[in-house]
């Protein structure tokens, strides 16, 4: 099997039951697997809420390591919409020319750098750097700040062999607290300062609310972007003809970005808390009030009822209604940023890289009880060859 | 060449002309308010929702099944709803009036 092949572990359960079951810290999860069912549950925020105890809709649950509510992520309508309206314009900045120009310069310089190396460990030497540097643009903070975040390593929330690590998470939370204090005393034009100066329903956002937005921004865009970038490098290593095709047909770059994001689905699933006894899937499966479900984006994105050849990367897939960025009210706030990263990355690789050799790789397999899913790589060493 | 008329939720009327591409691309290139096209036109994000003027519905035709699945969960959708990334510009569209949903 090629390194960049990511199997679909959900197929049989999706077709036969429509759900899967997962145990997580004595708070079990019913995983919803089909695309249409996932969409319907995501849309129905009254029955499947996000505004539960902070950390509970994340799988694995973060209730033991976090009290701060992530905003707007862990808030339901109508308050959700008020918060979202505050942050949405800021998170659309990646569409501006100046932002894209800076992002392109970052990515081109990183690709130039790895082209001079004999052996590049992609996760730590490429993807983490790319993600951290790009985040300085999203936050509008000094570029040098990315060195701090790179220094945290790939797992801010996890240590080896453990799903969650409170001590590691507190590094991030303490850092954000300090940055909020810094911005409160000396405001700049960064995201912390903009949020501290924002108003909701006629009052200023509290520091706790600002912290909630910042934790979301750091946490939501780290492993996800790192996996999307790393897995795409593996894909182009196995498919050098796709790099040539992007060079010859740059007009398909957008479709290629969406297809790679569908195929790799960097975030496997996201939870909701059930507010009343009900059913998921039209054909049944009772779920109880105060239990958890998850919306399994990774499974939905391989649903053969909608996607032809779901287990293949079809680089120019024209109709691609994937849910890799979620669906409905809570769709990914950072999607614009992530899409720009991927778009510029693909253009840059096509322009500068002829082929990529994989030297060795260690897969990162997520343990979802009933399912084992390859979500990325713990490490993957490659040699980038220039055109 | 087809003339396409957008009417935004603020009742602004924008007349544009095109020969190829999707209606979403035309709207985004010209900054039509309420058409974001976040996914670039692969029918994944539903940020290009329009209501076709009923008398012009024959010009665009109805939504495909995949589009309908998306629109089914949109509270603003009606029988004339389309995701305009799925409408290709052609002579057939000439004069069509599209009301932007958002």
């Amino acid at each position: 099997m090629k390194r960049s092949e990511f199997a679909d572990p959900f197929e049989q359960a999706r077709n036969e039951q429509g759900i899967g079951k997962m145990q997580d810290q004595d708070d079990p999860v019913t995983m919803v697997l089909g695309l249409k069912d996932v969409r319907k549950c995501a849309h129905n925020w009254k029955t499947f809420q996000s505004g539960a105890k902070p950390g509970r809709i994340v799988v694995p649950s973060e209730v033991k390591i976090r009290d701060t509510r992530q905003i707007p992520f862990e808030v339901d309508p109508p308050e959700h919409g008020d918060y979202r309206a505050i942050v949405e314009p800021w998170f659309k900045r990646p569409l501006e020319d100046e932002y894209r120009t800076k992002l392109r310069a970052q990515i081109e310089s990183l690709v130039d750098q790895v082209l001079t190396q004999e052996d590049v460990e992609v996760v730590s030497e490429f993807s983490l750097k790319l993600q951290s540097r790009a985040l300085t643009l999203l936050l509008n903070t000094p570029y040098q700040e990315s060195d701090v975040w790179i220094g945290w390593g790939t797992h801010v929330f996890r240590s080896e062999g453990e799903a969650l690590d409170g001590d590691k998470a507190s590094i991030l939370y303490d850092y954000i607290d300090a940055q909020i204090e810094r911005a409160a005393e000396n405001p700049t034009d960064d995201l912390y300062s903009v949020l501290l100066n924002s108003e909701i329903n006629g009052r200023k956002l509290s520091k706790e609310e600002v912290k909630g937005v910042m934790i979301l921004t750091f946490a939501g865009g780290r492993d996800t972007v790192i996996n999307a970038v790393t897995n795409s490098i593996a894909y182009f290593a196995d498919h050098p003809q796709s790099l040539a095709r992007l060079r010859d047909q740059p007009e398909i770059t957008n479709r290629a970005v969406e297809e790679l994001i569908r195929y790799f689905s960097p975030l496997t699933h996201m939870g909701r808390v059930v507010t009343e006894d009900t059913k998921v899937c039209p054909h049944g499966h009772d779920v109880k009030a105060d239990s958890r479900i998850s919306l399994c984006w990774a499974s939905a994105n391989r649903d053969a009822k909608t996607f032809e050849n779901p287990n293949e990367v079809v680089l120019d897939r024209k109709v691609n209604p994937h849910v890799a960025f979620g669906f409905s009210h809570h769709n990914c706030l950072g999607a614009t940023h992530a899409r720009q990263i991927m778009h510029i990355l693909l253009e840059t690789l096509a322009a500068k890289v002829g082929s990529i050799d994989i030297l060795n790789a260690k897969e990162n397999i997520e343990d979802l009880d009933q399912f084992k899913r390859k979500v990325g790589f713990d490490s993957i060493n490659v040699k980038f060859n220039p055109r | 060449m087809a003339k396409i008329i957008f009417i935004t939720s603020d009742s602004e009327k924008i007349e544009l002309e095109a020969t190829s591409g999707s209606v979403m691309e035309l709207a985004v290139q010209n900054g039509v308010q309420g058409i974001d096209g976040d996914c670039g036109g692969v029918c994944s994000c539903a940020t290009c929702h329009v209501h076709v003027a009923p008398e012009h519905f024959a010009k665009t035709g109805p939504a495909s099944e995949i589009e309908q699945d998306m629109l089914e969960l949109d509270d603003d959708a009606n029988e004339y709803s389309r995701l305009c990334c799925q409408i290709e510009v052609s002579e057939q569209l000439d004069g069509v009036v599209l009301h932007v949903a958002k």
Side-chain angles (χ1 to χ4, degrees):
Chain A
M1 196 161 114
K2 286 185 170 167
R3 304 279 199 186
S4 65
E5 271 181 42
F6 281 56
D8 169 23
F10 308 107
E11 183 177 2
Q12 190 180 0
R14 183 175 60 240
N15 291 337
E16 292 177 5
Q17 289 90 38
I19 58 153
K21 295 276 190 186
M22 180 178 168
Q23 192 49 256
D24 171 32
Q25 302 165 65
D26 299 321
D27 194 2
V29 181
T30 298
M31 301 171 68
V32 181
L33 301 177
L35 176 63
K36 286 190 187 180
D37 295 334
V38 164
R39 278 208 197 118
K40 282 193 179 125
C41 293
H43 188 65
N44 185 0
W45 56 270
K46 286 184 179 158
T47 304
F48 305 109
Q49 69 167 182
S50 296
K53 187 176 183 188
R56 196 174 171 210
I57 63 167
V58 184
V59 188
S61 170
E62 295 177 1
V63 291
K64 288 176 186 155
I65 62 163
R66 169 160 68 84
D67 299 317
T68 299
R69 181 173 298 284
Q70 290 188 17
I71 294 173
F73 169 63
E74 292 174 318
V75 183
D76 289 310
E79 293 81 13
H80 170 267
D82 298 334
Y83 285 116
R84 184 95 187 196
I86 294 175
V87 294
E88 187 99 29
W90 182 272
F91 282 83
K92 291 277 182 190
R93 287 164 52 254
L95 296 174
E96 295 169 6
D97 284 341
E98 189 191 345
Y99 192 105
R100 285 199 271 211
T101 302
K102 288 181 182 168
L103 184 57
R104 186 177 299 279
Q106 287 184 358
I107 291 175
E108 287 184 349
S109 136
L110 186 60
V111 170
D112 286 341
Q113 162 65 35
V114 295
L115 277 166
T116 68
Q117 292 175 237
E118 285 302 308
D119 181 343
V120 180
E121 199 291 287
V122 178
V123 179
S124 57
E125 295 181 78
F126 187 82
S127 307
L128 173 62
K129 287 182 181 175
L130 193 162
Q131 183 273 335
S132 297
R133 290 170 183 173
L135 188 61
T136 64
L137 297 176
L138 189 60
L139 268 52
N140 205 26
T141 49
Y143 178 82
Q144 294 71 18
E145 208 59 26
S146 60
D147 293 337
V148 177
W149 310 332
I150 293 166
W152 290 340
T154 46
H155 295 303
V156 193
F157 315 98
R158 265 157 249 164
S159 53
E160 286 300 318
E162 275 182 82
L164 290 167
D165 185 327
D167 291 340
K168 279 210 148 191
S170 67
I171 294 175
L172 173 67
Y173 302 157
D174 293 347
Y175 171 85
I176 290 173
D177 281 334
Q179 289 292 322
I180 291 171
E181 290 306 323
R182 188 262 315 146
E185 282 163 32
N186 297 300
T188 64
D189 50 1
D190 64 9
L191 178 55
Y192 306 94
S193 309
V194 167
L195 290 172
L196 284 167
N197 203 31
S198 294
E199 288 193 6
I200 184 159
N201 303 325
R203 62 162 179 88
K204 287 265 166 70
L205 283 186
S206 69
K207 286 180 181 173
E208 178 70 4
E209 289 170 314
V210 173
K211 185 179 179 181
V213 176
M214 295 310 303
I215 294 177
L216 174 66
T217 307
F218 272 93
R222 195 157 168 106
D223 290 357
T224 47
V225 170
I226 289 171
N227 282 335
V229 169
T230 305
N231 299 350
S232 297
I233 298 293
Y235 168 78
F236 288 115
D238 282 339
H239 302 273
Q241 72 279 11
S242 292
L243 279 179
R245 187 168 176 200
L246 288 174
R247 217 160 23 242
D248 297 339
Q249 293 175 266
E251 68 277 9
I252 70 162
T253 306
N254 181 76
R255 289 181 190 171
V257 167
E258 297 299 320
E259 175 66 347
L260 290 168
I261 290 171
R262 176 194 73 84
Y263 184 79
F264 293 124
S265 296
L267 181 67
T268 300
H269 59 163
M270 185 49 68
R272 296 286 189 268
V273 172
V274 183
T275 58
E276 57 185 336
D277 291 357
T278 185
K279 291 178 188 301
V280 288
C281 322
H283 39 284
H285 296 301
D286 294 324
V287 287
K288 292 277 180 205
D290 200 40
S291 71
R292 296 198 293 167
I293 66 162
S294 83
L295 312 168
C296 190
W297 320 117
S299 168
N301 284 340
R302 300 293 182 98
D303 193 333
K305 293 191 188 84
T306 297
F307 300 101
E308 271 181 53
N309 302 320
N311 297 316
E312 282 175 36
V313 174
V314 180
L315 210 58
D316 63 346
R317 194 181 287 274
K318 191 174 176 216
V319 179
N320 194 349
H322 70 78
V323 286
F325 288 118
F327 184 76
S328 198
H329 318 281
H330 287 282
N331 64 24
C332 177
L333 185 60
T336 310
H337 177 71
R339 283 176 160 128
Q340 287 302 326
I341 287 176
M342 287 293 287
H343 201 100
I344 294 171
L345 175 66
L346 264 54
E347 287 177 339
T348 306
L349 291 173
K352 292 177 181 277
V353 177
S355 65
I356 303 167
D357 303 322
I358 297 178
L359 306 174
N360 59 63
K362 186 166 171 260
E363 294 181 343
N364 175 7
I365 309 289
E366 243 177 12
D367 184 355
L368 306 159
D369 265 359
Q370 190 183 335
F371 312 103
K372 313 290 175 221
R373 177 179 188 243
K374 177 173 162 186
V375 67
F377 298 88
D378 286 335
S379 65
I380 175 167
N381 289 71
V382 307
K383 164 97 171 73
F384 289 89
N385 303 306
R387 279 184 65 208
Chain B
M1 185 73 76
K3 187 200 281 186
I4 293 162
I5 299 131
F6 295 92
I7 298 178
T8 69
S9 52
D10 295 343
S11 300
E12 189 191 355
K13 187 176 176 186
I14 302 164
E15 291 190 21
L16 298 170
E17 288 187 333
T19 51
S20 63
S22 78
V23 172
M24 179 280 288
E25 287 166 335
L26 179 69
V28 169
Q29 280 157 15
N30 291 279
V32 175
Q33 195 200 329
I35 304 284
D36 295 337
D38 288 345
C39 76
V42 298
C43 200
S44 163
C45 70
T47 62
C48 63
H49 181 188
V50 295
H51 298 126
V52 183
E55 64 273 24
H56 295 161
F57 200 51
K59 293 179 194 283
T60 64
S64 69
E65 191 185 338
I66 281 176
E67 251 179 281
Q68 280 173 16
D69 288 344
M70 301 278 291
L71 288 163
E72 179 185 55
L73 296 173
D74 191 317
D75 300 331
D76 299 325
N78 67 19
E79 61 195 298
Y80 302 110
S81 283
R82 290 293 312 265
L83 295 176
C84 67
C85 72
Q86 299 303 305
I87 308 175
E88 286 293 318
V89 173
S90 73
E91 292 287 339
Q92 192 188 314
L93 286 186
D94 192 33
V96 72
V97 173
L98 305 172
H99 296 267
V100 179
K102 194 177 130 191

